[in-house]
Amino acid sequence: MIETPSLVDQYCHGVLRTELGLGTFEAHLARSEGPPAPGTTFFDTQTGFAVRRWCPPLLGLEPHCPPARYLARRRELGVLEAGRRLLRGSGITTYLVDTGLPGDLTGPGEMASTGNADAHEIVRLELLAEQVADTSGTIESFLANLAESVHAAAANAVAFASVAGVRHGLAFAPEPPGPGEVRGAVGRWLAHRPVGGALTDPVLLRHLLWIAVASGRPLQLHAGLGEPGLHIDATDPVLLTDFARATAGLGTDLVLLHGYPYHRHAAHLAGVFPHVYVDLGAELVRTGARATAVLAEVLELAPFGKLLFSSGAHGLPELHVVGARLFREALARVLGTWVSEGAWSLADAQRVAGLIAAGNARRVYGLE
């Protein structure tokens, strides 16, 4: 039996503090631009079935119980107690939490106390720049305040995350933009931006990436499936090849988040570039009962010291549970098969499982 006693969730978000009805809960099971089609439900997805398999026992119910019964039990316990049971039942011992999403979500401190785990912050670059823009009236003050804010964040956060792929696509110029180019882009953005306006300018997105690279903290880059309506072909991680080459040897690791359905491309980049790593997050949660096949495909190409577990969870503690359980089950099946076939030794399989589950993340992020 392949064991993974400790899990470092190297990319996730906090959980909602509010009670959820059926429709609100369902909305967090799928990335969709609207409700499910009439007569259907988002519980009838791989993610929905995985929630019904793994979460009810943690709340005192039988596996695969009907959604209405599960949600009734959840309300009976209350959002705090249900969240506590779910997070503590996930087996995750460390959370790295991206605090860059809006909404009433728990931060690293609450995740740590609720889940009886360690937790650290990941700072989202675009939100940081938007907050700086809200309080900077000139180009000079924005650039100075941005540099200072990134430096201050690097002193406390374990990593930076970027949604440049979501905002613009990953086919951006790989080199850092010049000072004049940056000043012009800042001027245009500040002149037309309402308070709270999102950063989408490709020049400023590149500027942010290179400031983060200079900090030395690991840089997480969203790729593959993401927000509803996203042109997925613009987020193929292979588009980051030139950026990976440009950042090689600078001392900053790049972590490719999610990746699916281009997970083999992400695995290829991790094999080519010493500083590129691959996340095993949302792709396993989305594929559910097929997670074993997806994980095996990533393991075809990526060096085993370059793979990192995450849940990629957002909003629902159930998604942390599902991410952890699907990962453990898939990893045990894949590596267990290779051991039984004689291709791997049990000792090697156990060592690799420990690396992917926690060891690689502890090394990349400098965790104790």
Side-chain angles (χ1 to χ4, degrees):
M1 178 65 180
I2 310 299
E3 297 180 356
T4 51
S6 177
L7 291 180
V8 174
D9 190 345
Q10 73 98 37
Y11 183 81
C12 67
H13 302 279
V15 301
L16 290 163
R17 300 185 180 96
T18 52
E19 298 283 359
L20 301 176
L22 177 60
T24 311
F25 188 95
E26 272 197 56
H28 286 85
L29 295 178
R31 296 291 182 92
S32 173
E33 291 192 11
T40 72
T41 168
F42 285 140
F43 269 103
D44 285 338
T45 59
Q46 289 283 6
T47 303
F49 272 36
V51 167
R52 291 179 51 220
R53 165 61 184 92
W54 296 110
C55 296
L58 296 177
L59 303 188
L61 300 170
E62 72 279 6
H64 309 294
C65 74
R69 186 180 179 196
Y70 176 77
L71 292 178
R73 175 59 173 162
R74 204 178 190 272
R75 289 191 296 271
E76 177 186 329
L77 291 170
V79 65
L80 295 180
E81 177 61 15
R84 187 187 71 84
R85 293 190 185 194
L86 290 163
L87 290 181
R88 295 189 180 196
S90 70
I92 295 170
T93 55
T94 303
Y95 295 96
L96 306 190
V97 184
D98 180 346
T99 55
L101 287 183
D104 188 23
L105 300 174
T106 55
E110 287 178 87
M111 290 292 290
S113 59
T114 303
N116 191 28
D118 294 326
H120 306 273
E121 183 179 15
I122 298 166
V123 171
R124 183 170 291 200
L125 289 167
E126 291 78 12
L127 176 62
L128 188 65
E130 290 156 7
Q131 292 170 337
V132 169
D134 286 340
T135 58
S136 301
T138 66
I139 296 173
E140 290 74 15
S141 64
F142 172 81
L143 291 173
N145 292 339
L146 179 63
E148 182 179 343
S149 295
V150 171
H151 178 75
N156 299 300
V158 294
F160 290 105
S162 172
V163 288
V166 176
R167 299 284 181 90
H168 173 72
L170 296 177
F172 50 79
E175 68 278 356
E181 197 177 1
V182 172
R183 286 178 57 84
V186 172
R188 292 189 297 272
W189 188 46
L190 294 181
H192 299 98
R193 174 185 181 269
V195 173
L199 174 58
T200 59
D201 184 278
V203 172
L204 296 185
L205 291 172
R206 286 165 54 210
H207 181 60
L208 278 178
L209 294 177
W210 280 97
I211 293 178
V213 167
S215 78
R217 288 293 187 190
L219 174 59
Q220 300 177 334
L221 298 161
H222 285 253
L225 291 178
E227 298 303 314
L230 180 70
H231 289 283
I232 188 172
D233 58 327
T235 62
D236 185 337
V238 78
L239 297 172
L240 288 167
T241 300
D242 290 339
F243 181 71
R245 185 171 291 113
T247 54
L250 299 182
T252 296
D253 291 326
L254 307 181
V255 182
L256 307 181
L257 299 176
H258 314 324
Y260 187 83
Y262 303 113
H263 46 290
R264 279 174 161 146
H265 293 177
H268 164 71
L269 291 180
V272 171
F273 297 104
H275 65 307
V276 175
Y277 291 78
V278 176
D279 166 64
L280 295 171
E283 59 212 61
L284 302 186
V285 175
R286 287 182 180 226
T287 52
R290 288 283 295 167
T292 300
V294 174
L295 178 60
E297 289 171 350
V298 178
L299 287 166
E300 290 172 356
L301 293 174
F304 309 130
K306 308 292 283 303
L307 298 173
L308 306 167
F309 160 74
S310 83
S311 67
H314 164 220
L316 301 179
E318 284 84 355
L319 298 180
H320 294 86
V321 173
V322 166
R325 294 299 179 94
L326 288 174
F327 167 74
R328 278 192 160 112
E329 289 285 312
L331 193 66
R333 287 197 182 104
V334 172
L335 301 189
T337 297
W338 294 344
V339 169
S340 67
E341 293 173 346
W344 284 35
S345 71
L346 179 59
D348 279 340
Q350 189 61 63
R351 181 175 60 86
V352 168
L355 289 175
I356 300 173
N360 292 336
R362 294 192 181 283
R363 184 181 75 252
V364 170
Y365 298 105
L367 305 177
E368 296 181 358

